[in-house]
Amino acid sequence: MPKVTVDGIELEVPQGATVLQACELAGKEIPRFCYHERLSIAGNCRMCLVEVSPGPPKPQASCALPAAEGQNIRTDSAMVKKAREGVMEFLLINHPLDCPICDQGGECDLQDQSVAYGRGNSRYHEPKRAVTEKYMGPLIKTTMTRCIQCTRCVRFSEEIAGVDEIGALYRGENMQITTYLEKAAKHELSANVIDLCPVGALTSGPYAFEARPWELKKTLSIDVSDACGANIRLDSRGREVLRILPRINDDVNEEWITDKARYQVDGLTKRRLDQPWLRKNGKLVAASWNEAFAAVAKVKPGKSVAVVAGDMVDCETMFAAKALAGALGSSLLEGRQGGLDYDCSSLAAVNFNSGFAGIETADVVLIVGSNLRWEAPLVNVRIRKAVKQGAKVFIVGPEWETTYPVTFLGNDLAVLDKLPKDAADALKAAQRPALILGGAGFGKGALGACLALADKYKLVRDGWNGFNGLHMAAARMGGLMLGYAQKGGIADLVAAKPKLLIALGADEVDYTKFSDSIVVYIGHHGDKGAHAADIILPASAFTEKAGTYVNTEGRVQFAEQAVFAPGDAREDWTILRAMADALGVSVGFDSFEDLRAAMIAAVPALGVEGLADYGALPKGKAGAKGAIEAYPIKDFYLTNPIARASETMQRCSAELLHGEEFTEAAE
């Protein structure tokens, strides 16, 4: 490890570290625009200049200079100060005076660094250059005159997302950043370039002119749009969440989130259920809470009760519903709305055991029945990293547009019993082989064959478990931990013909099969479940309650409440507690703290933030049959009731997936 001196502080730095990283290890702040920890080094903004000796008697870009033994680095010399002021002066030559009307105002790197490292006055009086706006789709608002050509957005699209859609035209002062043929950026992570942009060139289209950052209350939460459990921050003002931003968590989402996680936010205020409704003579009629609970009491279901949980429900709500069903004498609980009935006796068999960070180190990956780009874009990013390091990827299922080289092995699941020679040889030779079983694979009963494959190719070995189940619902793993799984899936609930069916935000269920049941829908949007319900009890969305969520890798995470539910809507657990009184039973909790304590007593793993331990992987049987004809997700942007209520997601679906054209209003 080389020893360097930074402003008189001597320290050892890791082999291969840059001078910029050495300065940061010494506690020195180095200004930068183009450099980003997760992107390749460009060295084109020149803001990170430092003085290094031995070396040429001039400032050097610290982001692109390797740290070497014996270097003496100065970050605060007169030469460095003058050089940084000169660079900042050049960056501001063509930058417009847009700060009062720019959405980046208040959280802009250029603002902050011009104050800290720039001159107090300008010597430039010539006309400024202007650049025409570029169209990058419904999510990204462009003001390219502000662009300083840091190329972060270009490098993100090419290196992280794997979609070469953003690039540069022309040279020198005339250089412009644009999308290919000025078309919309069509990938699931496109809006992350807004966070990466250090100036106001790329800002959020739907959030334009909504609020200033100092007006917003910031709340830590967990994304529920898929099963990855990305760490997010909710920015709210009053009773409305105005935007969703990613939080850094290297184990889960690094610092990226999907476009759906970020932009379904406007759906939180549309199509909301804000008062109870009762179905009378085939029509839904507004009612009071007392009338609604009286209607529930009138059902008198006895033991004939079933609960079906939706895809975005927190663990506390599911536990409260389980306690209510248990008090009534029923254990009919199911969370797999679409009809899946895979064996859940061992949760290790349905968990993403290698973890998201671990899958990056795999050298061979076999994907069975999963379109990762739509089911788990953040996992697709990790697989792409593994491929960059030499991993081979094989896919069983219909072809989809990957962002890395793959070999498709066809749709027939029989291939799992006898893999083609190239795939079999690769798995045998692999040091860290991995298998990912997706929703389509679970649906076709491929779990047993995949477990047999894990045994055959030793996917579990010292310090490595490469067997991974990939779910698509934020509530899935938490629900399985709480027992929301019947042996025959939701078909068992249909066969039981319950008098009372409690639907916890379940909008993907075929309710025609429950025509003999009284359906009580506890949810937040007037979506498919509410249309089929006999009694609607308005509940809270994920932003309006605290809760525990478990992602597809078995990681227990806690979310906080950001705002209050609209109108007469209440938190889900309070509704279930009041239902218990209406039905004349006791559930054993009167407060959220009591509920959480009871849940942790029943399932201790839900009280510890981090990865749950599900034990050893069970054995499986070969003999997979059938073919995977299609993947479960038909429209990436409209997979849940919040997204379907979102105007932004509806437009993304129409424009980016279905090719509809939208004319832009002249400003």
Side-chain angles (χ1 to χ4, degrees):
M1 289 171 62
K3 282 186 180 177
V4 299
T5 305
V6 181
D7 292 342
I9 302 168
E10 191 175 305
L11 72 156
E12 283 190 351
V13 297
Q15 194 69 41
T18 63
V19 168
L20 187 149
Q21 290 167 326
C23 293
E24 291 197 328
L25 285 172
K28 302 294 178 180
E29 183 181 308
I30 303 295
R32 83 290 296 268
F33 291 111
C34 68
Y35 175 80
H36 191 278
E37 292 82 355
R38 301 185 198 278
L39 303 176
S40 63
I41 293 169
N44 56 6
C45 78
R46 318 309 288 177
M47 194 64 212
C48 62
L49 295 173
V50 296
E51 189 180 342
V52 181
S53 59
K58 63 175 186 178
Q60 297 189 65
S62 60
C63 68
L65 184 67
E69 182 71 35
Q71 281 178 335
N72 185 19
I73 303 161
R74 293 286 305 277
T75 70
D76 55 1
S77 67
M79 180 199 286
V80 170
K81 185 173 184 296
K82 185 179 178 184
R84 288 177 182 170
E85 285 179 354
V87 169
M88 181 59 73
E89 201 170 2
F90 273 113
L91 287 175
L92 293 174
I93 274 177
N94 286 315
H95 199 79
L97 297 173
D98 277 355
C99 296
I101 57 148
C102 176
D103 271 319
Q104 197 85 345
E107 48 192 9
C108 173
D109 290 356
L110 189 63
Q111 277 183 337
D112 296 342
Q113 292 182 40
S114 63
V115 169
Y117 304 102
R119 291 168 57 91
N121 61 315
S122 173
R123 297 178 290 177
Y124 186 81
H125 303 292
E126 286 72 25
K128 288 179 180 281
R129 175 195 70 160
V131 180
T132 56
E133 307 309 355
K134 315 297 181 196
Y135 183 65
M136 290 193 181
L139 304 178
I140 305 168
K141 180 175 181 281
T142 64
T143 314
M144 300 314 289
T145 300
R146 301 171 188 158
C147 179
I148 61 169
Q149 288 98 37
C150 71
T151 67
R152 281 186 181 182
C153 53
V154 178
R155 285 175 285 146
F156 172 82
S157 297
E158 290 180 358
E159 297 165 14
I160 307 296
V163 183
D164 297 345
E165 289 192 335
I166 303 178
L169 298 177
Y170 318 123
R171 301 179 69 182
E173 189 192 32
N174 297 319
M175 180 176 167
Q176 299 181 21
I177 304 293
T178 180
T179 49
Y180 183 66
L181 296 180
E182 292 198 26
K183 298 290 185 185
K186 289 184 183 176
H187 60 84
E188 304 73 37
L189 301 163
S190 65
N192 286 292
V193 298
I194 294 166
D195 297 332
L196 287 172
C197 185
V199 296
L202 304 177
T203 53
S204 173
Y207 177 69
F209 310 124
E210 286 287 329
R212 287 300 193 187
W214 54 84
E215 300 176 306
L216 303 173
K217 184 184 86 171
K218 298 164 179 62
T219 309
L220 308 184
S221 190
I222 303 298
D223 171 43
V224 297
S225 65
D226 59 27
C228 293
N231 289 208
I232 57 174
R233 189 185 89 196
L234 307 173
D235 285 1
S236 57
R237 184 177 60 193
R239 298 189 67 153
E240 186 177 353
V241 177
L242 292 178
R243 68 173 177 178
I244 295 175
L245 296 176
R247 285 190 286 136
I248 296 175
N249 186 330
D250 287 335
D251 293 328
V252 184
N253 58 309
E254 298 176 283
E255 58 187 88
W256 323 121
I257 54 172
T258 66
D259 291 350
K260 181 167 54 181
R262 187 187 299 264
Y263 282 118
Q264 66 177 11
V265 62
D266 63 320
L268 289 165
T269 56
K270 310 275 197 320
R271 296 194 205 164
R272 287 302 301 267
L273 299 172
D274 57 2
Q275 64 183 103
W277 296 80
L278 300 176
R279 192 174 295 279
K280 294 180 179 177
N281 301 322
K283 290 185 179 179
L284 287 171
V285 179
S288 67
W289 278 106
N290 288 337
E291 289 170 331
F293 287 128
V296 171
K298 205 180 288 184
V299 178
K300 294 181 181 172
K303 292 182 180 180
S304 186
V305 177
V307 181
V308 58
D311 290 347
M312 300 191 292
V313 188
D314 56 295
C315 292
E316 285 83 356
T317 298
M318 289 189 281
F319 182 79
K322 179 181 180 180
L324 175 58
L328 290 165
S330 171
S331 60
L332 286 170
L333 311 170
E334 183 55 72
R336 298 166 294 179
Q337 302 177 67
L340 296 178
D341 59 356
Y342 48 82
D343 182 12
C344 298
S345 53
S346 168
L347 291 185
V350 296
N351 184 50
F352 203 94
N353 294 294
S354 68
F356 298 158
I359 200 71
E360 287 181 15
T361 64
D363 44 10
V364 176
V365 182
L366 174 63
I367 301 170
V368 181
S370 178
N371 179 347
L372 283 182
R373 274 189 68 176
W374 281 11
E375 293 173 19
L378 298 172
V379 176
N380 197 54
V381 166
R382 304 279 193 168
I383 301 285
R384 184 172 158 71
K385 279 191 187 179
V387 171
K388 278 185 175 180
Q389 293 165 14
K392 294 179 180 176
V393 180
F394 301 91
I395 298 178
V396 178
E399 293 191 14
W400 47 278
E401 193 177 337
T402 61
T403 56
Y404 37 81
V406 302
T407 303
F408 284 95
L409 304 179
N411 298 5
D412 193 345
L413 285 172
V415 75
L416 295 175
D417 296 335
K418 191 174 182 184
L419 289 173
K421 188 175 187 306
D422 55 343
D425 290 349
L427 281 167
K428 277 178 191 169
Q431 297 298 309
R432 294 168 81 84
L435 182 148
I436 297 175
L437 177 60
F442 278 121
K444 289 292 182 179
L447 178 58
C450 287
L451 286 168
L453 209 65
D455 197 35
K456 182 177 179 181
Y457 292 104
K458 297 182 173 56
L459 263 58
V460 181
R461 49 187 79 178
D462 284 347
W464 174 252
N465 185 341
F467 188 86
N468 300 304
L470 183 68
H471 302 292
M472 294 171 285
R476 184 70 74 246
M477 284 306 292
L480 295 179
M481 290 171 77
L482 288 167
Y484 274 75
Q486 299 297 307
K487 194 169 184 182
I490 207 160
D492 285 4
L493 271 61
V494 174
K497 295 185 177 178
K499 280 180 77 174
L500 180 65
L501 178 70
I502 301 172
L504 305 175
D507 291 287
E508 320 303 329
V509 177
D510 182 1
Y511 285 101
T512 58
K513 295 178 179 176
F514 293 98
S515 54
D516 297 331
S517 306
I518 298 296
V519 178
V520 177
Y521 179 78
I522 303 174
H524 40 78
H525 275 76
D527 206 79
K528 299 171 188 174
H531 284 267
D534 299 294
I535 303 169
I536 297 174
L537 304 178
S540 300
F542 76 102
T543 55
E544 297 152 7
K545 58 187 173 184
T548 304
Y549 296 92
V550 187
N551 75 353
T552 191
E553 56 174 356
R555 186 179 300 277
V556 180
Q557 302 183 107
F558 306 128
E560 298 173 11
Q561 180 182 1
V563 292
F564 292 101
D568 283 339
R570 298 287 180 266
E571 290 184 40
D572 308 56
W573 76 268
T574 62
I575 298 171
L576 290 158
R577 174 66 185 80
M579 274 182 71
D581 286 345
L583 292 167
V585 293
S586 171
V587 287
F589 56 83
D590 294 313
S591 68
F592 185 74
E593 289 70 27
D594 292 346
L595 166 61
R596 184 169 267 178
M599 179 184 77
I600 293 168
V603 186
L606 290 175
V608 183
E609 198 163 16
L611 293 171
D613 183 6
Y614 296 132
L617 201 66
K619 302 285 185 186
K621 283 186 180 178
K625 293 177 183 175
I628 298 171
E629 304 297 345
Y631 297 111
I633 296 179
K634 301 292 185 284
D635 190 322
F636 170 73
Y637 297 102
L638 303 176
T639 56
N640 63 63
I642 299 175
R644 287 190 285 267
S646 163
E647 205 175 307
T648 307
M649 291 294 97
Q650 291 284 355
R651 173 161 175 183
C652 285
S653 172
E655 182 176 346
L656 303 181
L657 296 185
H658 303 294
E660 291 184 28
E661 291 189 6
F662 290 80
T663 53
E664 292 295 307
E667 291 187 26

